[in-house]
Amino acid sequence: MPGVTLKTVAKAVGVSPSTVSNAYNKPDQLSTALRERILATAQELGYAGPDASARALRSGKAGAVGVLFTDKLAYAFSDPYAVGFLAGLAEVAEEFATSLLLMPLSSTDIAGGSNAVQQAAIDAAAIFCVPAGHPALEILANRGIPAVSTDRGDHPDLSWVAIDEVEAAAQLGEHLARLGHRDVVVLVDNAQAAGGRPVELTLDEVGYTDCELRIRGLQKTMPDARLRIVSGGHNAIASGLKGAEYVLDSQDRPTAIVGLSDVQALGALEAMKVRGLTPGRDLSLAGFDDIPAAAAAGLTTVRQPIKDKGRAVGRILLDPASTERQLMMPTQLIVRSSSGPAPKH
C-alpha cells in the first residue's frame, strides 16, 4: 500500500499514533498482545517502522558511538588487543542500548577519513590508537562530540583511559638490564614499512604516542643500552616476523628483541624458531599487553587490563553516573621463559 505511515497503522488498529510509536520504541509500555497486534497490522500494511533518521533528528541522538582507529577495518576483528578492547566497550554499549560504529582512518587517505568523521551520525567517540594531531580529532572537537582516548592527554579538559606507558615499559627495561642486555631491537607498528621492506626509524618517526612513550620507558631504565627501532609494517604477527627476520639475518644481531605489542613479539618468535634460536637462551624476547596467546608462548610481557580499558571508556562516554574523566589503569610485568641472561659473546 503506497504512502503507509505510522498514522495509517494507528487508524487500522484503532489506537493513537503514539501507541504505535511505543510498540517500536518503548515496548515495555504496552501489553504483549497489543504490541503483537500493532506489529502484525503494520506488516500486513507494509509499514517497516519509524524512520531511524527522522527519529534521530527529533531526539538529537544517533544512538551510536564511533570507534576511531588508524588501520584497516579487518584489524578490529583480527588483532587480539583490539578485540579485547572492543569486547569491553561493547558490554557497556549494550547496557545503554547503543551501537558501535567502527571508523577506520586510513594512513594514506587522510582527507577521506576526516570527511567520514565529519558526516558520521554518532553521539560520542572512542579514540583508539589514533596519532596525536590527526585532523579527525579536531573535527570531533569542532562538532562538540564527546570523546575518550586510550592515550593520556596533557590538557585537563581531555578525557582518557590509559596506562602509564613510560613506567610500564621502564619495568621491562629494568628486567632486561638486570639480565645484562645492552643491545636491544624494538619492533614497532609503523606505516612506512607496510607492504615493503622493514625500515629502521628514529624516535621522532615512530608516529604513535604510546609507542614513543614505551621506548622512552625502556631508555629510562636502560640508559647504557643501544636501542634500535625497527618496523615491518602495521601491527600484526606478519609485521613482527618481517621485522625480526631483518634483524636476525643481519651481521649486527641484538641480544634482545622487544615487541611493543605481543603480536609483534609473537611474529619475532616465529622468525626465531625458523632459525633454530631458543628464546631466553640464544636471544631474549618480550612483548607488551599480555594477550591470551602470550602465556602459551612463554612470552615475557607487560600486562595491561585490555577489556577493562574498553569498559572504562564506555562508562565515561555513556553512563550518566560516571564521574571519571581521566583514569589511569594498572600494569604488571609478567616474566616468563622467553627472557634470560644476555649471551656471552
Side-chain angles (χ1 to χ4, degrees):
M1 182 184 297
V4 176
T5 65
L6 183 144
K7 291 182 179 180
T8 308
V9 176
K11 184 175 181 181
V13 179
V15 296
S16 68
S18 61
T19 300
V20 175
S21 176
N22 286 341
Y24 290 93
N25 301 317
K26 300 177 182 178
D28 57 307
Q29 296 192 8
L30 305 179
S31 68
T32 301
L34 177 56
R35 181 170 187 266
E36 289 179 351
R37 183 155 63 93
I38 291 172
L39 296 180
T41 302
Q43 183 176 16
E44 184 180 328
L45 294 174
Y47 177 67
D51 181 78
S53 299
R55 184 167 62 244
L57 286 172
R58 287 193 299 272
S59 66
K61 295 290 184 181
V65 169
V67 184
L68 280 63
F69 56 97
T70 47
D71 212 317
K72 294 181 180 179
L73 185 60
Y75 172 78
F77 303 96
S78 60
D79 178 73
Y81 177 84
V83 170
F85 174 84
L86 288 171
L89 178 59
E91 282 184 12
V92 179
E94 185 175 21
E95 181 182 339
F96 290 92
T98 299
S99 301
L100 298 182
L101 176 62
L102 301 183
M103 305 183 67
L105 304 175
S106 169
S107 58
T108 54
D109 184 12
I110 303 297
S114 300
N115 188 53
V117 172
Q118 180 68 58
Q119 298 182 19
I122 55 176
D123 303 315
I127 312 302
F128 179 73
C129 299
V130 177
H134 194 290
L137 304 183
E138 185 178 355
I139 290 171
L140 288 176
N142 291 340
R143 289 185 61 188
I145 292 177
V148 177
S149 176
T150 54
D151 287 327
R152 180 181 180 182
D154 295 327
H155 196 283
D157 292 336
L158 295 177
S159 296
W160 47 263
V161 176
I163 61 172
D164 191 327
E165 307 280 5
V166 173
E167 289 306 313
Q171 293 179 56
L172 178 56
E174 185 178 11
H175 169 68
L176 293 174
R178 247 192 337 261
L179 292 171
H181 293 281
R182 300 292 182 271
D183 194 345
V184 179
V185 163
V186 182
L187 298 178
V188 302
D189 171 12
N190 190 272
Q192 287 189 41
R197 298 181 59 184
V199 295
E200 295 200 32
L201 304 167
T202 65
L203 184 58
D204 292 338
E205 293 174 323
V206 169
Y208 289 97
T209 301
D210 57 348
C211 290
E212 292 177 13
L213 294 176
R214 290 173 193 179
I215 294 170
R216 294 191 187 280
L218 292 172
Q219 292 173 331
K220 179 179 178 180
T221 46
M222 304 186 78
D224 300 326
R226 180 175 69 141
L227 296 180
R228 287 178 287 158
I229 306 168
V230 174
S231 178
H234 287 300
N235 192 47
I237 287 179
S239 300
L241 172 64
K242 188 165 66 171
E245 287 175 336
Y246 168 80
V247 170
L248 296 175
D249 292 340
S250 70
Q251 296 295 318
D252 195 12
R253 180 182 290 180
T255 64
I257 295 176
V258 175
L260 291 192
S261 70
D262 284 345
V263 294
Q264 295 267 358
L266 292 173
L269 181 60
E270 292 299 316
M272 290 179 65
K273 286 180 179 178
V274 169
R275 288 154 181 79
L277 299 173
T278 301
R281 186 189 69 188
D282 301 314
L283 186 145
S284 285
L285 179 65
F288 206 103
D289 294 332
D290 199 27
I291 62 175
L299 182 65
T300 291
T301 187
V302 175
R303 175 180 295 164
Q304 63 167 313
I306 303 170
K307 198 169 184 179
D308 286 346
K309 187 183 277 190
R311 291 190 188 103
V313 168
R315 286 282 166 206
I316 294 175
L317 288 174
L318 297 172
D319 190 348
S322 174
T323 58
E324 298 280 4
R325 285 295 172 266
Q326 297 177 345
L327 183 60
M328 190 72 77
M329 308 291 279
T331 60
Q332 180 184 3
L333 175 65
I334 306 297
V335 178
R336 298 191 178 105
S337 60
S338 71
S339 58
K344 305 294 184 182
H345 291 297

